[in-house]
Every structure is written in C-alpha cells, then in structure tokens.
C-alpha cells in the first residue's frame, strides 16, 4: 500500500502546523476525508439537490436514484440486500433505534439483555436504560488481557435472554471479538445478536451473511465518509416485524385519522428528510476503500500495530491494554505509563499510573501528534482496569511506519518533560 500516495488524496494532510506536518493517530474517533468524498458532496449540491422520495420532477427523481444507489453500494460492501440497510446518523442512533423499537413490541418486563464490560457507551447506555422498564441487563466478563470471556457468555445466556449486543472490535483494547462463534452461541439460545460494528466495518472485511448477525451498526465518519450518516443493517424479516423508531413524513404509506400504514423497511425507519449528501459521501468513501481492498486495509493496520508494539517494547514503563497477539486485535493502541509494570495484573495496576493521559496527549500535540486521551466512552472498562483513562493511538490507511517513529519520539519527549526514567 502506497501510503504517501494515499495521503495526497486527503487535503487536510497538506496542512502544516508550526512548519510541521500533522501526524493523525485518532481515526478511531473519526477519520480524515479524501477529496473524492468531499467533491462528491459538493457535486450533489451544485447539480442534483432536491428532496428524495417526494417530487415527481426529474431533479427529485434523480436525487432519489442517487440516494438509493448509495444504499445499494453500502449493502454490497457488507454483503446485505439494499432493503436491509437503514440510513441513520451514526452507530449511536442505530443502537438507540433498536433499543427503542424493541421496547415497543419485542421486550417485556423480566426479559434480559447481555452486553459486555468492553462496550462503548453507545452500546451500553441504550440497553441499561431499559432497566427502567424492568428489563434486566447483565454484563459478560472480560479477561485481564481484554478478551471476551465466552464461558461467561454461555453461563449467562438463558431463556430470558432476548438480545445479546456486543462490539465487533473494541475501541479501547482493539480486541477483535469472534463474532462468527458468538453468533452461533447466541442463536442456539434463540436470542437476537446485535453487533456494534463502529470499529470493524471501516477496518476489516465484514460479511453479515457469514457472521449471521441479526443487526450491525456503523458510522460513515469512521470510514472516510462524512459525519451525520451511519448505517443500521438488519435482517429483513426482523425489520419487518419491528416498530418504527422515529415517525412522521417519509415513513408512511397512508395516514388517516384512525389508521396509519407504515412503509416497508428500510423507509419505515427513515422518518423525515434523510441525509442525502451523507449517503453519497459514504458511498464515495466505500468506493475508495473497495479500491484499496479491505483485506489490504486490515493487513496494513496489522503490520503497523506489530511495528508499534516492537518499538514500544523499548519502554519498560509502558503498559499496553488489550491482546498482545496482533491477529486478534485491530490498529488501536491504548497505553499508560505504569511504573515499570509491563503486564496487566489488577493488583499491580491499581494506583500505578503516574502520568495522566491528558498530559501525554498535550505534550504529543506540541509535536503535531494527535492522539486521544480519556476514558474513550468506555468508563465501565476503565473501572474494570481501575484506571481513570488511557492514551490511545489508532491507525488507518494514511498512517505509516514514519508516523509510528514520530510517535515514539513524542513518547521520549513526554518522558523528558515529565521527568520519567
Ligand atoms: N461503538 C464504538 C465501538 C465506537 O468506537 C464508537 C465511536 N467511538 C461508537 C460506538 C459511537 O460511534 P458514533 O459516535 O459515530 O455514534
């Protein structure tokens, strides 16, 4: 993969701050956008802007055609049918759609939902809130190395368990959960399997038929696309039975005072004017990724993670969270300065962090190295490791070994400024 050439497609990488290029290592939060995506949005507003599924004039019909073509492209990308693709704002909205809709006609008091200790708040709060309606929520344990404890999943699955909702790839630990295996376990129990694909669909080939998940949610902005467009894939037979989430225009066939007939999926779940520009931008982003090849994206990130791990070995006071095996993790590296304790053992890590991640990120920023620091919207996971926060560097197609080297120099600067070692 020619990273230098890829970087030329991203206008933001022409930007210099204090005479130096930026080293963007926060793609887990959001990715940068290539001009192909930016131009597509501009092209839409300059040439085709009209509301969709409404007008019968040609511009509106064409805009509708573009919107539906984007849906087809998204569907093809994850091996789904277009009518199984619901456009939402982001992963968060996709998961909220499910929790609200299930509450309407799938769930009853006493039912149980299983999530895990490594979930992003977006796959945590929408389910935990259902406790208010006397729906139980239980949490699958993880191991110290950050793997999901499948035995615990099996033990906690029971007749009451209606839904299991898990991240495919953890945004903190990088752990790749074995969703194929989990899907079988969950379906053997006749439960619904929801996948939070926010950190998998952008980084690795995802085939919903192979996984056999019932739902997967992901965000366009984490895969080169614009903000404000996301996707909820759902098996059509289930979508058909589900109640709408938002209601109003666009999502109905007929409305009378005493009778409302909803549209079929996916339009049933797309009330109001949709984000047409976003769908086109996402489709352009998918074309860009397809051109590189998702296997190549995954291999590239694996290689960079391996390279970074080897480099970080130099520092014996850094602890890295999550699996050490790069085959089982994505390109997300969360770490802390940890008093020389390289391996996570609860008793050791308890109070040992001696440089706050915000300080680390601040010092790195002085070198234009952009990493995330904080709890990464995964506070239950921070509680599990008994830490307040981590520093997180994450990789994508526009990062290379040179970026990792610059990060390592930045870490040396952190050590110097904070007088470590
Ligand atoms: N799930 C995971 C695993 C994530 O990493 C994120 C974003 N950090 C989300 C859900 C939420 O994504 P969004 O903010 O785009 O809704």
């Amino acid at each position: 993969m020619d990273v230098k050439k890829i970087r030329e497609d991203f206008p933001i990488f022409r930007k210099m701050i204090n005479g130096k290029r930026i080293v963007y290592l926060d793609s887990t939060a959001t990715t940068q956008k290539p001009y192909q995506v930016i131009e597509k949005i501009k092209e839409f507003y300059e040439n085709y802007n009209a509301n969709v599924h409404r007008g019968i004039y040609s511009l509106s019909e064409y805009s509708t055609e573009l919107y539906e073509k984007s849906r087809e492209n998204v569907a093809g990308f994850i091996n789904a049918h277009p009518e199984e693709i619901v456009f939402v704002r982001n992963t968060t909205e996709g998961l909220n759609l499910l929790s609200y809709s299930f509450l309407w006609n799938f769930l009853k008091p006493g039912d149980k939902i299983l999530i895990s200790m490594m979930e992003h708040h977006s796959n945590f709060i929408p389910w935990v809130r259902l406790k208010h309606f006397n729906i139980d929520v239980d949490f699958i344990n993880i191991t110290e190395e950050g793997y999901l404890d499948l035995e615990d999943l099996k033990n906690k699955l029971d007749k009451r368990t209606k839904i299991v909702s898990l991240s495919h790839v953890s945004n903190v630990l990088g752990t790749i959960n074995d969703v194929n295996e989990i899907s079988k376990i969950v379906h053997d129990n006749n439960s619904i399997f929801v996948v939070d694909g926010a950190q998998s669909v952008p980084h690795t080939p995802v085939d919903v038929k192979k996984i056999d998940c019932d739902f997967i949610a992901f965000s366009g902005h984490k895969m080169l696309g614009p903000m404000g467009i996301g996707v909820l894939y759902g098996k059509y037979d289930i979508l058909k039975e589900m109640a709408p989430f938002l209601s109003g225009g666009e999502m109905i066939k007929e409305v009378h005072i005493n009778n409302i007939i909803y549209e079929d999926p996916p339009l049933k779940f797309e009330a109001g004017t949709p984000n047409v520009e976003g769908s086109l931008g996402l489709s352009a982003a998918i074309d860009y990724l397809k051109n590189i090849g998702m296997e190549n994206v995954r291999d590239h990130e694996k290689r960079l993670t391996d390279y970074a791990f080897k480099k970080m070995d130099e520092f014996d006071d850094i602890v890295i969270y999550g699996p050490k095996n790069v085959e089982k993790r994505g390109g997300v590296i969360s770490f802390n300065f940890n008093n020389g304790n390289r391996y996570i053992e609860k008793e050791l890590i308890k109070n040992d962090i001696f440089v706050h991640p915000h300080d680390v990120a601040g010092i790195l920023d002085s070198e234009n190295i952009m990493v995330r620091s904080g709890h990464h919207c995964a506070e239950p996971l921070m509680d599990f490791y008994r830490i307040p926060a981590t520093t997180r560097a994450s990789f994508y197609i526009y990062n290379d070994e040179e970026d990792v080297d610059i990060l390592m120099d930045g870490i040396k600067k952190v050590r110097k400024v904070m007088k470590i070692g």
Side-chain angles (χ1 to χ4, degrees), residues 2 15 21 46 62 118 140 143 148 172 191 193 198-199 226 262 288 305 315 325 335 350 365 380 399:
D2 188 345
K15 197 179 166 75
R21 76 171 177 91
E46 286 179 355
Y62 192 57
M118 70 169 83
I140 304 161
T143 66
L148 198 69
V172 181
S191 311
F193 184 36
Q199 299 301 344
Y262 300 129
Y288 193 95
T305 307
F315 308 105
N325 181 351
F335 64 94
K350 229 181 339 193
D365 185 46
N399 297 117

Side-chain angles (χ1 to χ4, degrees), residues 28 90-92 120 122 169 171 196 198-199 219 221-222:
T28 296
N90 46 37
T91 307
T92 305
H120 186 281
S122 297
V169 175
N171 64 312
D196 171 352
Q199 299 301 344
S219 302
H221 71 95
K222 292 184 195 287

Side-chain angles (χ1 to χ4, degrees), residues 35-253:
Y35 77 85
Q36 289 87 340
V37 168
I38 299 167
E39 287 299 318
K40 185 59 81 182
I41 295 168
K42 191 162 166 269
E43 185 190 61
F44 171 70
Y45 281 120
E46 286 179 355
N47 297 284
Y48 312 116
N49 179 49
N51 212 329
V52 292
H53 295 299
R54 282 182 171 91
I56 55 158
Y57 51 91
S58 58
L59 205 58
S60 172
E61 282 180 350
Y62 192 57
S63 155
T64 304
E65 199 181 313
L66 290 174
Y67 182 60
E68 291 306 325
K69 280 230 160 72
S70 300
R71 197 191 304 278
E72 280 170 31
N73 203 16
V74 172
F77 190 61
I78 57 167
N79 195 22
H81 294 294
E83 61 271 25
E84 297 173 315
I85 299 297
V86 179
F87 280 125
V88 288
R89 278 191 303 142
N90 46 37
T91 307
T92 305
E93 186 173 296
L95 295 167
N96 274 276
L97 185 159
L98 291 177
S99 70
Y100 275 85
S101 173
F102 287 154
L103 194 58
W104 196 269
N105 63 353
F106 268 47
L107 290 168
K108 57 180 189 322
D111 284 348
K112 192 167 101 180
I113 294 169
L114 280 180
I115 56 178
S116 88
M117 294 304 294
M118 70 169 83
E119 299 314 313
H120 186 281
H121 295 162
S122 297
N123 194 30
F124 194 94
I125 303 170
W127 305 116
V128 172
R129 285 184 77 205
L130 300 186
K131 283 184 179 180
H132 180 75
F133 299 93
N134 293 321
I135 288 152
D136 288 340
V137 181
D138 206 350
F139 308 92
I140 304 161
N141 288 332
I142 60 170
T143 66
E144 292 293 313
E145 208 188 334
Y147 289 110
L148 198 69
D149 182 346
L150 289 190
E151 284 313 304
D152 196 47
L153 162 67
K154 286 178 198 162
N155 290 337
K156 284 178 176 158
L157 270 173
D158 58 21
K159 269 198 189 141
R160 293 193 301 128
T161 312
K162 292 288 169 350
I163 297 156
V164 178
S165 187
L166 296 171
S167 50
H168 191 170
V169 175
S170 159
N171 64 312
V172 181
L173 304 169
T175 315
I176 302 173
N177 288 318
D178 186 349
V179 284
N180 295 10
E181 173 67 15
I182 295 169
S183 182
K184 286 192 204 106
I185 298 170
V186 172
H187 287 144
D188 279 349
N189 193 62
N190 291 323
S191 311
I192 287 176
F193 184 36
V194 178
V195 178
D196 171 352
Q199 299 301 344
S200 61
V201 176
H203 300 282
T204 192
V206 168
D207 181 325
V208 293
K209 296 280 180 314
K210 265 196 199 142
I211 301 172
D212 191 29
C213 53
D214 298 299
F215 297 92
I216 189 166
F218 54 99
S219 302
H221 71 95
K222 292 184 195 287
M223 50 191 291
L224 310 180
M227 293 182 177
I229 186 80
V231 175
L232 177 69
Y233 155 84
K235 281 183 182 162
Y236 191 80
D237 290 346
I238 309 180
L239 286 175
K240 195 133 175 73
E241 295 303 315
M242 283 167 57
F245 169 39
L246 301 174
S247 50
E250 292 265 312
M251 49 78 75
I252 44 85
K253 280 183 177 153

